[in-house]
Amino acid sequence: MVVIKAVRGTRDILPPVAGAWAEVESKVRCIFRRYRCEEIRTPAFEESELFSRGVGEETDIVSKEMYTFTDRDGSSITLRPENTASVMRAYIEHRLDQRPGIQKLFYIGPMFRRERPQKGRYRQFHQIGAEVIGSDRPEVDAEVITLVYDLLQETGVDDFRILLNSVGCSDCRPVFLARLKDSLVSVKKELCQDCQRRSETNPLRVLDCKVSADQQFIDQLPSIVDSHCQSCREHFEVVKGTLTDLHIPFTIQPRLVRGLDYYMRTTFEFTQGTLGAQNSILGGGRYDGLAAQLGSRIYAPGIGFSIGQDRLMMALEERCGQRRDSLDLFLAPLGVPAARLCAVLAHELRGGGATVEVGVDAKLKRALELAHKLNARYTLIVGDDEVRTGQFLLKDMSTGSQELVSRQHLLSKFSTATEHGI
RNA sequence: GUGCCCAUAGCUCAGCCGGUAGAGCGCUGGAUUGUGGUUCCAGAUGUCACGGGUUCGAUCCCCGUUGGGCACCCCA
C-alpha cells in the first residue's frame, strides 16, 4: 500500500510556521482596519465563465492554468485562480455600490493555479489582497499603494522595491501596441531567441527581457508612458505626485507588464531581493472596465492588489528566527488522584487566561524534562502530599527555585489581571 | 508545458572503482523510586523515493514514474 502524500504543488503549513502565518494575518487585519478596509469571503470555486470573462480568455491563467471540472449537473466549475473577479462578482450581485462610500474589501485565502511548482510557486498558494471599488480617482490609487507599503513595512519586509506603471486605457493602449509592433520589425533580428519569439506572441514581454545584450535595442523601443492619452497622463501624474507627497519611493517601470486583461491605467508590482526567480511579492492595478466585462451595467471602477502570502512568509523567514509559543504553567501530576485534581486546576487556570499544559507522565523527571522542552515558565508539582495538604510546589523553571503555594494563590498569580507580575 | 540538476534515518548530510549503510542533531531508556537544562552510558533509527533493467551481486550504472530545486514561460 502506497502511503498518501500531499499532492504536487501543495504543502502543509506546520507548527510553528503556521503560528507565524497567523501572526502576520492578525497584523495585516489590524492595518486594513485603519484604512476602513472590510473583510470579504468569497467561495473557493466559481462558475468557470467568471474567470474566462473577467480575467481574459487569452491569459495564461485562463488558457492553461485553471483547475476546471464539470459538476454533476453539467456546469463548468473552476477553483479560483485569483480573487478580483470573485470580489467584483459579489460586489455586483449584492449591490454593494448602494452602501455608503467607496467599498474597500480585503481577503485572505488560498488560490489555485496548475503551474509547474517551483520555489515560491505553488499550485495552492495564498493571497492577502484588497479591492477598492467605486471610484476612478487617482488619489485612490495612491491610497492603495500606501496601504500596501504599510503592509509590507509593518510586517517586517525590507529591501522591497515599488515598480509603478500606467498601461493606458482602451483608447491609448491599442495605439501603443501598434507602434511597438512596428518598431520591433526593424530590431527583431538583433534580439535574443526568446525575444524574437515574443515579438510575435507577446510583444509587451520583450520590454521585460533581462538579456543585457538586448537592452540597447529595447531602450530604443517606444514607451507606453509616452503614448498616453491626455486623461491617462493626467491620472498618472496625480498618482505619482501624491506618492511623492507621501514620501513613498517608487520607480517608474514603463516595461512593467501585467498578465491579466482587466488592468488599465495604474499597475504596480513590489519586488523583493531574496525570493529568487519569483521575486515579485505582490502585484496590482486598476480595472475600471471589469464590471462591464462581467456584464454589469453598474459603473464600478476599481483598483486592487494581492500579496503572495507564501512569498511574504519566505521574505520574513530570513530574519524571524525560531518562534515558540510560551507556556505559563506546566502541571505535573504524580499519580491518579493528582491527575484528577490537575484536570480541575488546569481548567480554572485557563479560565483565568493562563496557558496551561497538564503532563501525562507520572514520573517527575520526565515531567520536568517535558516542561523544559515546552518552554514552560513554571512547573507545578502535584503529588500525594500536595493533594493531601492543598499546598502545591511551584517551581520557577528559569531559576530553579521552588515555593509552596495554595490553590487560591496559584489562581490569582496566573490570572490575566496579574499576568505582568509573573 | 520545455530544458538541466537532484532524491540515503524525523532533520542536516557522508558513503571511494558496483560487494545489501554511517556521522551530528533530535528521539527512547539508564546513571537519579519526587526534580529539567550541563555531563556520561546504552538503544532504535532505514523498503537507500517508487517500478523495472544490466550484473554472480545495485544506494552506486541504465530506463521509466513520482517528488523537489534551478532556468524558460508566467505570476503571487
Side-chain angles (χ1 to χ4, degrees):
Chain A
M1 186 115 81
V2 180
V3 186
I4 297 173
K5 298 195 292 185
V7 313
R8 184 163 160 84
T10 70
R11 61 187 181 142
D12 303 302
I13 311 290
L14 304 170
V17 175
W21 280 55
E23 238 167 57
V24 164
E25 285 158 20
S26 77
K27 208 173 280 180
V28 304
R29 280 171 191 280
C30 172
I31 297 164
F32 280 132
R33 194 181 320 120
R34 304 206 302 251
Y35 281 81
R36 201 186 64 81
C37 217
E38 302 170 284
E39 182 168 15
I40 183 169
R41 303 192 188 201
T42 63
F45 55 85
E46 300 267 1
E47 251 178 68
S48 301
E49 200 181 343
L50 173 67
F51 304 114
S52 52
R53 260 159 64 181
V55 178
E57 200 82 61
E58 300 308 314
T59 60
D60 280 17
I61 291 176
V62 172
S63 64
K64 52 190 191 198
E65 295 173 0
M66 294 207 302
Y67 278 102
T68 297
F69 61 94
T70 304
D71 205 351
R72 299 169 82 135
D73 63 0
S75 58
S76 182
I77 299 296
T78 295
L79 263 38
R80 60 180 183 190
E82 59 103 54
N83 209 26
T84 301
S86 300
V87 171
M88 184 57 88
R89 195 221 78 233
Y91 178 93
I92 294 163
E93 184 170 335
H94 303 289
R95 291 305 306 251
L96 298 187
D97 58 305
Q98 299 296 299
R99 299 180 80 212
I102 58 178
Q103 298 308 300
K104 306 183 188 179
L105 305 165
F106 81 85
Y107 58 85
I108 300 173
M111 308 295 157
F112 308 86
R113 287 181 205 173
R114 200 183 184 295
E115 292 183 274
R116 179 110 167 225
Q118 205 173 309
K119 191 187 191 76
R121 191 161 85 184
Y122 306 95
R123 289 182 172 180
Q124 173 174 336
F125 60 103
H126 303 81
Q127 290 191 326
I128 299 171
E131 311 296 342
V132 176
I133 308 173
S135 169
D136 57 10
R137 300 286 308 159
E139 294 82 2
V140 173
D141 303 37
E143 189 183 59
V144 166
I145 291 167
T146 308
L147 163 58
V148 170
Y149 181 81
D150 285 355
L151 244 25
L152 291 191
Q153 283 250 286
E154 291 184 38
T155 48
V157 184
D158 44 20
D159 72 277
F160 60 83
R161 285 184 69 205
I162 302 178
L163 306 179
L164 186 66
N165 192 19
S166 171
V167 297
C169 62
S170 53
D171 288 337
C172 51
R173 185 148 45 158
V175 177
F176 165 69
L177 263 177
R179 282 182 58 198
L180 179 62
K181 281 179 185 164
D182 282 350
S183 310
L184 277 171
V185 171
S186 54
V187 295
K188 187 177 160 188
K189 55 183 178 298
E190 311 288 345
L191 300 173
C192 67
Q193 287 293 316
D194 282 335
C195 282
Q196 299 203 15
R197 177 176 42 73
R198 288 168 183 148
S199 297
E200 303 299 329
T201 59
N202 189 355
L204 285 173
R205 204 74 222 170
V206 175
L207 299 174
D208 204 31
C209 178
K210 276 111 190 159
V211 178
S212 55
D214 285 9
Q215 298 310 309
Q216 52 172 317
F217 302 105
I218 291 169
D219 290 342
Q220 304 304 314
L221 295 170
S223 166
I224 178 72
V225 294
D226 297 328
S227 307
H228 284 156
C229 61
Q230 177 75 13
S231 62
C232 282
R233 187 159 47 241
E234 287 171 5
H235 193 275
F236 198 34
E237 287 305 319
V238 175
V239 175
K240 289 187 290 186
T242 309
L243 288 176
T244 303
D245 292 348
L246 284 156
H247 305 296
I248 292 179
F250 59 87
T251 306
I252 299 297
Q253 176 55 282
R255 303 169 181 181
L256 178 63
V257 180
R258 305 258 82 228
L260 286 67
D261 281 3
Y262 52 61
Y263 285 125
M264 59 177 287
R265 291 195 167 159
T266 309
T267 59
F268 52 92
E269 179 172 311
F270 286 35
T271 59
Q272 208 270 348
T274 60
L275 300 179
Q278 264 61 48
N279 70 345
S280 166
I281 197 168
L282 81 93
R286 176 163 282 288
Y287 43 82
D288 294 348
L290 178 57
Q293 275 178 57
L294 294 179
S296 172
R297 280 160 43 200
I298 301 171
Y299 179 56
I303 178 168
F305 68 86
S306 195
I307 301 177
Q309 191 175 4
D310 307 80
R311 293 179 190 175
L312 174 66
M313 299 311 297
M314 216 179 294
L316 258 31
E317 199 177 350
E318 305 266 304
R319 299 171 309 104
C320 72
Q322 282 290 42
R323 68 182 287 292
R324 202 173 178 197
D325 289 324
S326 67
L327 181 61
D328 293 326
L329 181 62
F330 185 92
L331 300 185
L334 307 175
V336 174
R340 290 182 64 163
L341 177 57
C342 280
V344 177
L345 274 178
H347 191 241
E348 288 173 354
L349 287 158
R350 288 165 180 154
T355 302
V356 178
E357 172 78 350
V358 186
V360 293
D361 199 315
K363 284 173 134 176
L364 182 57
K365 177 183 159 65
R366 307 218 48 70
L368 283 166
E369 263 173 23
L370 184 56
H372 174 72
K373 285 172 188 168
L374 297 181
N375 205 18
R377 280 188 276 183
Y378 289 89
T379 297
L380 191 74
I381 298 167
V382 185
D384 293 341
D385 294 348
E386 286 81 0
V387 172
R388 195 171 54 247
T389 62
Q391 294 286 304
F392 309 104
L393 199 51
L394 182 66
K395 183 181 179 88
D396 183 321
M397 295 300 282
S398 55
T399 65
S401 65
Q402 313 186 139
E403 57 172 334
L404 274 174
V405 296
S406 68
R407 184 169 180 158
Q408 200 45 248
H409 179 229
L410 196 65
L411 288 173
S412 69
K413 182 178 176 73
F414 286 93
S415 76
T416 310
T418 59
E419 188 181 10
H420 301 295
I422 295 175

